[in-house]
Amino acid sequence: MLLSRKRMLKWAVLLLWVVIAILAAPAAGRLSDVVQAKSSAELPRGAQSTRVDELASRFPGGERAPGIIAYARTSGITPADRAKAEADRRALAPLAAGTIAAPVPSGDGRALMLAVPLKDDDTLGDKAGKLRDRSRADVPPGLDVRLTGPAGAALDVGDAFEKVDKPVLIATVVLVALVLLLTYRSPVLWLLPVVNAAIALQVTGAVVYLLGEHAGLYVADGTSTILNALVFGVSTDYALLLLARYREELRRHPDRHDAMRIALRRAAAPVCASAATVALGLLCLLAADMGFNYALGPIGAIGVLVGLVVVMSLLPALLVILGRWVFWPRVPRCGDAPPARGAWDRAGHRIAAHPRLVWIGGLAVLGALASACLGISTGLDRAHFLTSTPSSAVGEQLLARHYPGGQGRPLQVVTGKPASVTTALQRAPGVARVGNAQRSADGRLTKLDVVLTSPPDSDEAKKTVRALREAVPDALFGASTAGEVDLADAQAHDRRVVIPLVLGVVLLVLVVLLRALVAPLLVIGTVVASYFAALGAAWLLFRYAFGFPALDIQVALMGFLFMVALGVDYNLFLVSRIREEAARSGHRAGVLRGLGVTGGVISSAGLVLAATFGVLGAMPVTMMVQIGVLVSLGVLLDTFFVRSVIVPALALDAGRRFWWPSPAPARGRRVRLEDGDAAEVGDLGFTPR
């Protein structure tokens, strides 16, 4: 009876996940409904620009993100051009959140500027699209018309994500499938990790939608793109590790149910520790100020934990239901001899000949690559936010040629002392014009539009904003350049706070899992070294192959988070297996055996993860391209060089001290497990005194 119940469990688990997947589908399909697309959604918490945005509702018209339509003709504006701008003003009046002022001519007579006030909410992208469509209609020959301003920029970004989200997901699935086919050379087995990852992604989408709709979870633009790569990557990695352990146990046990039970027990600790490392690392982003960083933390953690639950429950059920034939044509049979010595075994023995020379030389290579970090420039302007020049950036450049530099995106200044602040602003260097004052509904606050002489993205404009904040302490400066200054400051804060938190969390997980201090410190050190090496190599590619002038301000932190949290995974799988093997045959043999047994599966997992993030390189958003390339390079470097060469060399050179302060895993003593399977003491997670 007990045996019958155990064997029925797999069908109950399968039925449960079928029901969950069916129920999750409608909610997952509505994930885009809870994305906060308003232009101010990602402002850093507590910054002046954020406070200005929060105070906007106290003024008539509330939160606004104007769409600026620029009309330019090199030979001079004609009557037909003026008629076009006036016709647009009348046609767009029903769409505007207030009165649309008459088109403003430039001083050189070659341009007109029409400012259309729009409400800054989740419908901003749709309204900006209507502005663009109207502005492009009935254009007189030779007239250049561009939509710019906050609304134009929001439209460009929204279009970029909308056009590639589904193709990127499809490309991810195809690449993962190809890697799995090459790994297993089975016409069926590759489907199981893909199906598990797809269900994990669907359930994650449903959970995030429900939390966003009913619990106020902040979902930022672009989150789903990174979530796709993360969930597919980690789910497939965990599936590969479980499959490898299950295949081993099938060679030892005639009953596949027993083989799966033992495989689950032995894989649970490193896989769960891996998920905990990534999830806790992502949750460190809750200490971030940047809106996108803060949003990605809990959402990414949800995706990782859902992936873990799916792989550790649904995948085992499917494997046991389908039986051994799912591995065809290489079906593992009970009593089969272990695989012949492979490439990783041979690599391990070469490393063991001169371990100290190997790890010193390896670190020298990483140091050489990392030296390129010294030339990194950070901070992209709007012209390089997309991989192709966005229309809004072209419009902004057009305005800069005919109007004061900040005309298209003025600062918003809020104060309770309008007279003194206005006088101070008018006298301040770098200020071209101070607009008319607007009083709040209660009469206590005043809002001013301030146009700078320099273009909004320029260093001069940023210096002007910092100087104005020092010189005029009775005012809050927001929007345009002030927002970009606050974003840069917030990102610097996040790097200072989040990076140490992530390192601390990862170190703690490793210490708990390995019950050692030396091994975790060495592993953390190698992962950090590989991060800087990958960052240096990526910068060389960005600068000389892609032609990017700088790194986006979010790339360094995002790259660090994913590379450290995910890169530690592979080292964690390796070192935990080394500890297990060392309990059977001693430290040196355990290192070589651990590398040989895990080499193939970890290499495949690294290829899958690199592929999922590498797909981001096809995105039209520069930040996504840079994150994808950096993480892919880092994962490949960590998988095939750091984890496979440097870490084993360090473990061999350190000897039994690698496990300090715990005693090294003892060898040779065997115990009897409850299910009758003979195993080493080290398998049970303790060593004899």
Side-chain angles (χ1 to χ4, degrees), residues 569-592:
D569 278 3
Y570 301 141
N571 290 283
L572 187 153
F573 299 143
L574 169 66
V575 176
S576 62
R577 188 59 185 261
I578 287 174
R579 185 176 184 89
E580 179 181 327
E581 297 296 335
R584 292 190 174 101
S585 51
H587 178 76
R588 184 180 185 278
V591 173
L592 299 181

Side-chain angles (χ1 to χ4, degrees), residues 401-672:
R401 288 196 294 268
H402 302 286
Y403 297 89
Q407 185 71 55
R409 285 191 289 141
L411 301 179
Q412 291 182 3
V413 180
V414 176
T415 181
K417 300 178 179 179
S420 61
V421 167
T422 300
T423 301
L425 290 173
Q426 290 172 338
R427 294 175 178 174
V431 174
R433 181 174 61 82
V434 179
N436 295 329
Q438 183 183 24
R439 302 286 283 179
S440 62
D442 58 11
R444 299 175 63 181
L445 295 175
T446 299
K447 183 169 68 173
L448 305 165
D449 283 346
V450 177
V451 177
L452 303 182
T453 56
S454 304
D457 286 329
S458 65
D459 291 338
E460 292 76 10
K462 294 171 184 176
K463 291 176 183 177
T464 299
V465 168
R466 294 189 186 278
L468 289 174
R469 284 176 168 172
E470 290 288 332
V472 191
D474 294 327
L476 298 174
F477 293 79
S480 186
T481 309
E484 294 176 8
V485 168
D486 288 338
L487 288 173
D489 290 347
Q491 192 66 38
H493 163 272
D494 291 353
R495 289 194 295 268
R496 292 193 304 269
V497 172
V498 174
I499 287 177
L501 276 177
V502 171
L503 288 175
V505 165
V506 171
L507 179 63
L508 181 62
V509 172
L510 287 171
V511 168
V512 171
L513 178 70
L514 301 176
R515 302 183 301 281
L517 186 59
V518 172
L521 286 173
L522 290 177
V523 167
I524 287 287
T526 59
V527 173
V528 172
S530 70
Y531 163 73
F532 283 106
L535 184 61
W539 170 246
L540 294 176
L541 282 177
F542 296 150
R543 190 71 186 91
Y544 299 106
F546 290 82
F548 297 147
L551 283 182
D552 185 271
I553 59 173
Q554 298 190 153
V555 169
L557 178 59
M558 288 291 103
F560 179 87
L561 176 68
F562 288 124
M563 280 189 57
V564 170
L566 297 173
V568 162
D569 278 3
Y570 301 141
N571 290 283
L572 187 153
F573 299 143
L574 169 66
V575 176
S576 62
R577 188 59 185 261
I578 287 174
R579 185 176 184 89
E580 179 181 327
E581 297 296 335
R584 292 190 174 101
S585 51
H587 178 76
R588 184 180 185 278
V591 173
L592 299 181
R593 172 67 177 163
L595 176 60
V597 170
T598 64
V601 64
I602 293 180
S603 299
S604 299
L607 286 174
V608 167
L609 192 62
T612 57
F613 275 91
V615 171
L616 297 181
M619 292 281 291
V621 181
T622 305
M623 178 191 73
M624 294 295 181
V625 173
Q626 292 182 341
I627 290 175
V629 171
L630 173 58
V631 175
S632 294
L633 277 177
V635 168
L636 292 174
L637 184 66
D638 191 75
T639 301
F640 292 100
F641 187 60
V642 175
R643 190 273 313 166
S644 58
V645 176
I646 297 178
V647 171
L650 285 168
L652 288 167
D653 194 26
R656 297 166 67 89
R657 293 168 296 179
F658 192 67
W659 308 108
W660 186 88
S662 295
R667 56 177 296 187
R669 196 155 78 93
R670 302 176 67 84
V671 297
R672 183 69 56 183

Side-chain angles (χ1 to χ4, degrees), residues 57-385:
S57 60
R58 296 175 60 175
F59 293 88
E63 299 175 339
R64 294 185 181 182
I68 310 295
I69 304 176
Y71 309 83
R73 186 185 293 273
T74 55
S75 59
I77 293 295
T78 67
D81 299 338
R82 295 189 185 91
K84 161 64 177 167
E86 183 59 31
D88 288 349
R89 185 175 76 90
R90 292 193 301 268
L92 294 171
L95 196 65
T99 303
I100 305 177
V104 179
S106 63
D108 59 10
R110 297 179 180 178
L112 294 170
M113 181 178 64
L114 182 67
V116 182
L118 298 177
K119 189 167 181 59
D120 188 4
D121 56 20
D122 291 342
T123 66
L124 176 61
D126 292 335
K127 290 180 290 190
K130 293 177 181 177
L131 254 70
R132 182 178 60 188
D133 293 343
R134 171 59 206 180
S135 66
R136 289 177 175 178
D138 304 320
V139 178
L143 181 66
D144 189 6
V145 181
R146 300 281 179 171
L147 174 64
T148 186
L155 179 61
D156 286 337
V157 174
D159 283 350
F161 281 112
E162 183 178 352
K163 290 177 182 176
V164 298
D165 253 352
K166 289 183 180 178
V168 164
L169 180 57
I170 293 171
T172 301
V173 175
V174 171
L175 276 176
V176 169
L178 287 174
V179 172
L180 293 175
L181 276 169
L182 291 172
T183 299
Y184 291 113
R185 302 186 184 120
S186 167
V188 178
L189 188 59
W190 68 272
L191 278 169
L192 299 186
V194 172
V195 168
N196 277 260
I199 291 175
L201 188 58
Q202 181 166 289
V203 173
T204 300
V207 172
V208 172
Y209 166 75
L210 293 173
L211 291 176
E213 181 70 18
H214 303 292
L217 179 68
Y218 170 40
V219 185
D221 243 345
T223 303
S224 62
T225 304
I226 291 183
L227 189 64
N228 291 344
L230 179 64
V231 173
F232 250 91
V234 298
S235 298
T236 308
D237 280 3
Y238 300 157
L240 287 170
L241 292 160
L242 179 59
L243 279 167
R245 204 66 198 246
Y246 178 51
R247 188 199 290 269
E248 285 185 48
E249 300 304 328
L250 285 174
R251 297 192 185 101
R252 299 171 183 162
H253 302 276
D255 189 290
R256 65 184 187 276
H257 299 82
D258 292 337
M260 177 56 73
R261 182 158 38 85
I262 295 170
L264 274 173
R265 187 184 64 222
R266 292 181 177 173
V271 171
C272 290
S274 165
T277 301
V278 181
L280 291 173
L282 285 163
L283 288 176
C284 291
L285 289 173
L286 290 174
D289 281 346
M290 282 280 289
F292 183 86
N293 297 347
Y294 182 82
L296 184 61
I299 292 173
I302 290 169
V304 170
L305 294 177
V306 170
L308 172 69
V309 173
V310 171
V311 169
M312 298 301 281
S313 57
L314 176 59
L315 181 60
L318 289 172
L319 287 168
V320 174
I321 288 170
L322 293 173
R324 296 173 187 260
W325 72 267
V326 76
F327 289 92
W328 185 87
R330 296 185 293 177
V331 179
R333 306 290 184 188
C334 181
D336 283 354
R341 180 180 172 187
W344 293 110
D345 290 289
R346 293 191 294 272
H349 283 83
R350 292 192 183 99
I351 293 168
H354 303 284
R356 184 167 300 177
L357 182 62
V358 169
W359 70 256
I360 291 175
L363 291 180
V365 171
L366 296 181
L369 290 173
S371 64
C373 294
L374 298 174
I376 289 178
S377 299
T378 304
L380 289 170
D381 56 24
R382 285 180 180 263
H384 293 91
F385 185 79

